[in-house]
C-alpha cells in the first residue's frame, strides 16, 4: 500500500499558526494589552434574518412527514439553481439551470474540479494568491507556472507571449490583494484562453463586494468567456455563510475540450462523489436571492466596505501605497520603509497592538506586503487607525 506522495510536497502552512503563536507570546509579557485583529478572513456579522427565517421554516418542514426531504439532486434543488440563474439574468447573463451546480462552498469545488482534468495539464497561478489553488494542484502532482502580481501591474497580472498554462486561475476581487480586474483586462485573459485552448477557473467568491458598476462581477460579462471559463461563487462572504456552507459553480454548456462537454463530466463527477447540500441550507441560500435578501446582505457588505474605506483613507494620509479597499474587503499595502512582511507584523503588534497578515504567506511576491481585512468591528477599525496614525514610523 502506497500513499499519494504528492501530499508530502505540499508546504506546511505556518502562516496563521505563526500569527497566533506570536500573539500569544506577546500577551504573555503584555498582560493588559488590547490587541485589535485586522487579519480576520472570516465574516463577523450574523446571518441575515431572512436566511434564518427561511432555514427555520425548512427545519420545520423536515420534521413533518408530508414535507420531509431525503436525498436531493446532487447538483442542487431547482428552486436554488433557478434563483441563481435569475441573479445572473439581472447582470445580463443567460444561464440554463443545468449550467449551475450548488455546492457546500467554493473551496470544495475549486479543489474537486481538478478530478475532471488530465494530470498532464500545466497550471498557471498568479502569485500572490489564495493558497488553495497551489496546494490542490500539488496534491494532484501537476506542474505549476506562476504569473507575477506586483507593484508595477497593481497585482493584476496579464498574459504575454511567454505565458503558458492549460488551466488558468483568476481571482477577482482578489484574495489577498483586493485588486479587481476590469473588463478590458479580463478580455485579454479570455482571448488568451481561447487562442491557446486553455481553461480559466474564475474565482468570484468576493463578487458581491463590487459596487463600481463598470467592473465585472462575473467573467461571463466578457464576450467569449462561456467558451473558456468555469466560475466559482460562494455565499460565504456575500451572505455570511462561512459556517452555514453554500456556494455555486457555473459550468457552461459551451465548454468543450477533447470533444467532451465539461458540464457532462462535472455532473458525472458530482453525482458520483457528492450528495448535495442540506435542504435547509439551500432554502437559506434561496433567501439570499430574494429582494429582502439582497437588501439585508448588501447592508452587511456596505458595513465591511465602509471599514475598508476608513482603512484606505488612513493609509493614503500616511503615504502608504496600497491596492484594494474598494470593491473588496481586503487592503494590500506595501510595508513602510521597505520592511519585510514579518518585520512589519512584529512592529505593528508591538507598537500598536494591531494584527494583520504578512503578505509573504501568500506567495513569494507577497514579501514586503501586508494584508488588512475589513471584517472587524467599526469601533476596532477606527481605534486601530488612530493607533496607526500615532506611530513614530510615520512621523
Ligand atoms: N475563494 C477565495 C478567494 C477565498 O478567499 C475563499 C475563502 O476565504 C474561498 C474561495 C472559499 O470560500 P468558501 O467558504 O465558499 O469555501
Amino acid at each position: 500500500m502506497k500513499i499519494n506522495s504528492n501530499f508530502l510536497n505540499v508546504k506546511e502552512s505556518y502562516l496563521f499558526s505563526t500569527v497566533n503563536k506570536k500573539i500569544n507570546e506577546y500577551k504573555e509579557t503584555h498582560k493588559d494589552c488590547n490587541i485589535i485583529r485586522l487579519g480576520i478572513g472570516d465574516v463577523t456579522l450574523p446571518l441575515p434574518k431572512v436566511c434564518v427565517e427561511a432555514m427555520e421554516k425548512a427545519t420545520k418542514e423536515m420534521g413533518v412527514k408530508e414535507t420531509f426531504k431525503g436525498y436531493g439532486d446532487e447538483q442542487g434543488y431547482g428552486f436554488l439553481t433557478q434563483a441563481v440563474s435569475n441573479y445572473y439574468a439581472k447582470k445580463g447573463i443567460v444561464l440554463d439551470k443545468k449550467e449551475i451546480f450548488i455546492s457546500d462552498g467554493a473551496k470544495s469545488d475549486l479543489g474537486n474540479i481538478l478530478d475532471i482534468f488530465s494530470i498532464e495539464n500545466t497550471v498557471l497561478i498568479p502569485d500572490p494568491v489564495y493558497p488553495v489553488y497551489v496546494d490542490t494542484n500539488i496534491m494532484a502532482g501537476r506542474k505549476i507556472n506562476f504569473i507575477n502580481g506586483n507593484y508595477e501591474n497593481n497585482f493584476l497580472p496579464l498574459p504575454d507571449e511567454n505565458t503558458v498554462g492549460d488551466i488558468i486561475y483568476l481571482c477577482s476581487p482578489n484574495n489577498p490583494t483586493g485588486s479587481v480586474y476590469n473588463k478590458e483586462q479580463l478580455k485579454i485573459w479570455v482571448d488568451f484562453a481561447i487562442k491557446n485552448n486553455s481553461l480559466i477557473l474564475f474565482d468570484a467568491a468576493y463578487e458581491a463586494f463590487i459596487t463600481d458598476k463598470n467592473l465585472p462581477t462575473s467573467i461571463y460579462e466578457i464576450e467569449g468567456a462561456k467558451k473558456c471559463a468555469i466560475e466559482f461563487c460562494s455565499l460565504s462572504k456575500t451572505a455570511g455563510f462561512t459556517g452555514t456552507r453554500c456556494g455555486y459553480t457555473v459550468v457552461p454548456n459551451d465548454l468543450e475540450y477533447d470533444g467532451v462537454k465539461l458540464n457532462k463530466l462535472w455532473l458525472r463527477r458530482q453525482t458520483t462523489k457528492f450528495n448535495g447540500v442540506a435542504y435547509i441550507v439551500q432554502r437559506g441560500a434561496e433567501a439570499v436571492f430574494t429582494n429582502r435578501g439582497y437588501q439585508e446582505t448588501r447592508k452587511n457588505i456596505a458595513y465591511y466596505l465602509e471599514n475598508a474605506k476608513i482603512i484606505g483613507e488612513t493609509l493614503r494620509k500616511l503615504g502608504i501605497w496600497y491596492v484594494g479597499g474598494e470593491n473588496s474587503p481586503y487592503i494590500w499595502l506595501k510595508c513602510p520603509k521597505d520592511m519585510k512582511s514579518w518585520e512589519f507584523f512584529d512592529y505593528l503588534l508591538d507598537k500598536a497592538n494591531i494584527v494583520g497578515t504578512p503578505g509573504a504567506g501568500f506567495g513569494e511576491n507577497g514579501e514586503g506586503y501586508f494584508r488588512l481585512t475589513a471584517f472587524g468591528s467599526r469601533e476596532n477599525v477606527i481605534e486601530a487607525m488612530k493607533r496607526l496614525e500615532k506611530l513614530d514610523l510615520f512621523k
Side-chain angles (χ1 to χ4, degrees), residues 120-135:
E120 287 159 29
N121 289 309
T122 297
V123 174
L124 183 66
I125 302 181
D127 174 356
V129 90
Y130 181 51
V132 168
Y133 314 151
V134 175
D135 291 351

Side-chain angles (χ1 to χ4, degrees), residues 41-42 103-110 129-133 171-176 203-206 232-237 241-243 245-248 330 371 375:
D42 196 355
S103 71
D104 63 350
K107 191 178 190 175
S108 319
D109 278 7
L110 281 161
V129 90
Y130 181 51
V132 168
Y133 314 151
C171 179
S172 178
N174 188 279
N175 178 13
D203 186 345
Y206 298 93
F232 301 85
C233 278
S234 167
L235 297 183
S236 284
K237 310 293 158 77
F241 269 54
T242 49
R245 310 302 307 146
C246 196
Y248 48 94
Y330 296 121
R371 189 189 77 172
F375 289 122

Side-chain angles (χ1 to χ4, degrees), residues 9-295:
N9 299 329
V10 179
K11 277 201 218 123
E12 281 300 330
S13 174
Y14 296 114
L15 181 61
F16 291 103
S17 57
T18 310
V19 165
N20 287 330
K21 191 165 154 261
K22 279 179 180 271
I23 297 172
N24 290 335
E25 279 168 9
Y26 186 82
K27 279 188 183 157
E28 285 284 304
T29 46
H30 302 80
K31 295 267 186 256
D32 296 328
C33 67
N34 170 18
I35 290 177
I36 297 181
R37 301 189 76 136
L38 292 185
I40 313 167
D42 196 355
V43 290
T44 52
L45 294 172
L47 285 174
K49 286 221 163 35
V50 68
C51 299
V52 175
E53 286 168 20
M55 287 194 281
E56 278 170 353
K57 182 164 170 271
T59 307
K60 291 208 178 91
E61 285 176 44
M62 292 297 269
V64 176
K65 193 168 190 311
E66 287 70 28
T67 48
F68 167 76
K69 300 268 187 299
Y71 290 122
D73 284 345
E74 291 89 346
Q75 60 271 41
Y77 282 98
F79 61 78
L80 184 52
T81 48
Q82 186 62 57
V84 174
S85 166
N86 295 347
Y87 178 63
Y88 274 92
K90 284 192 200 133
K91 304 182 190 200
I93 298 162
V94 180
L95 290 180
D96 189 88
K97 274 163 61 173
K98 295 220 158 62
E99 298 181 300
I100 297 160
F101 295 81
I102 304 304
S103 71
D104 63 350
K107 191 178 190 175
S108 319
D109 278 7
L110 281 161
N112 294 335
I113 197 79
L114 295 176
D115 274 8
I116 65 171
F117 307 127
S118 160
I119 196 75
E120 287 159 29
N121 289 309
T122 297
V123 174
L124 183 66
I125 302 181
D127 174 356
V129 90
Y130 181 51
V132 168
Y133 314 151
V134 175
D135 291 351
T136 49
N137 277 291
I138 292 177
M139 285 171 181
R142 260 187 211 91
K143 186 173 173 310
I144 300 175
N145 290 337
F146 289 99
I147 183 161
N148 294 324
N150 50 36
Y151 175 84
E152 283 72 31
N153 59 25
N154 267 331
F155 288 91
L156 292 169
L158 291 171
D160 61 25
E161 59 281 5
N162 301 318
T163 306
V164 179
D166 302 310
I167 299 172
I168 301 164
Y169 285 82
L170 295 179
C171 179
S172 178
N174 188 279
N175 178 13
T177 69
S179 48
V180 187
Y181 280 111
N182 64 30
K183 285 187 184 157
E184 292 70 33
Q185 292 165 324
L186 277 190
K187 178 81 174 110
I188 293 172
W189 274 115
V190 167
D191 289 347
F192 174 88
I194 290 175
K195 183 163 162 251
N196 294 285
N197 195 35
S198 310
L199 173 72
I200 295 173
L201 300 181
F202 190 75
D203 186 345
Y206 298 93
E207 60 88 21
F209 285 79
I210 297 179
T211 52
D212 182 340
K213 294 270 178 287
N214 294 317
L215 292 173
T217 59
S218 162
I219 193 157
Y220 304 121
E221 289 180 43
I222 312 304
E223 203 195 322
K226 279 192 184 171
K227 288 197 162 55
C228 66
I230 293 178
E231 181 159 288
F232 301 85
C233 278
S234 167
L235 297 183
S236 284
K237 310 293 158 77
T238 302
F241 269 54
T242 49
T244 307
R245 310 302 307 146
C246 196
Y248 48 94
T249 295
V250 181
V251 188
N253 282 323
D254 286 352
L255 280 181
E256 201 173 305
Y257 294 80
D258 283 346
V260 179
K261 283 197 182 291
L262 294 192
N263 184 288
K264 194 171 157 226
L265 279 193
W266 181 240
L267 179 65
R268 193 75 187 90
R269 191 270 170 211
Q270 288 298 77
T271 50
T272 304
K273 292 198 188 179
F274 183 57
N275 246 341
V277 176
Y279 170 71
I280 296 166
V281 171
Q282 290 196 56
R283 281 295 183 195
E286 181 192 23
V288 172
F289 297 100
T290 59
N291 284 339
R292 198 180 138 206
Y294 187 81
Q295 305 300 335

Side-chain angles (χ1 to χ4, degrees), residues 323-338:
V323 284
E326 281 175 343
N327 305 296
S328 161
Y330 296 121
I331 297 102
W332 180 253
L333 61 100
K334 189 165 182 331
C335 300
K337 308 258 192 269
D338 287 331

